[in-house]
Amino acid sequence: MPPLVSSGRITGIVPSAPKGPQDPFRFALQYQNTGNAAQKLSGRFEVRDASGKKVAEVAVEEVVVLPGQVRLLPIALVGPLPTGSYTALAVLNYGDPTKDVAADLPFTLEAPLAAPPTPPPAEGEKEGTP
């Protein structure tokens, strides 16, 4: 059996603008396991404004990626976030405590992202604090 090699890379970030102000801005991270061992992939997706300040962060759902496999990791970015120019930054770890893989993508938000709607109170609960 050959020695296990764990390596990988982000091969793309594909944006999908929201259809309406209440919809999230969706991204698909494309990750390729270039090693010969299964990987437990985790990470984060950040959005930075034009000055480089982090204005949003979404955790990337933990998944297993088999050797040679390419996985699409869905990201849903919600507001509130004003219109403007931003950079999406994906940082993933495939199990190596000393090494992350990263990719970035500049994008423009043409319309502000609204905050997600608050769910209505469950039946029998009253609004406000007890």
Side-chain angles (χ1 to χ4, degrees), residues 36-116:
N36 64 0
Q39 299 172 342
K40 188 175 184 180
L41 190 65
S42 62
R44 67 189 187 280
F45 181 85
E46 298 178 359
V47 176
R48 296 184 180 262
D49 65 14
S51 70
K53 178 183 172 196
K54 181 168 61 170
V55 294
E57 183 172 329
V58 178
V60 175
E61 188 175 332
E62 204 170 83
V63 295
V64 172
V65 185
L66 299 176
Q69 186 180 37
V70 174
R71 289 287 300 257
L72 284 178
L73 308 169
I75 302 293
L77 177 66
V78 294
L81 203 57
T83 59
S85 296
Y86 296 95
T87 299
L89 174 65
V91 180
L92 302 176
N93 184 277
Y94 52 76
D96 184 337
T98 64
K99 187 181 204 181
D100 289 331
V101 293
D104 64 353
L105 174 76
F107 71 98
T108 301
L109 197 55
E110 301 290 342
L113 277 183

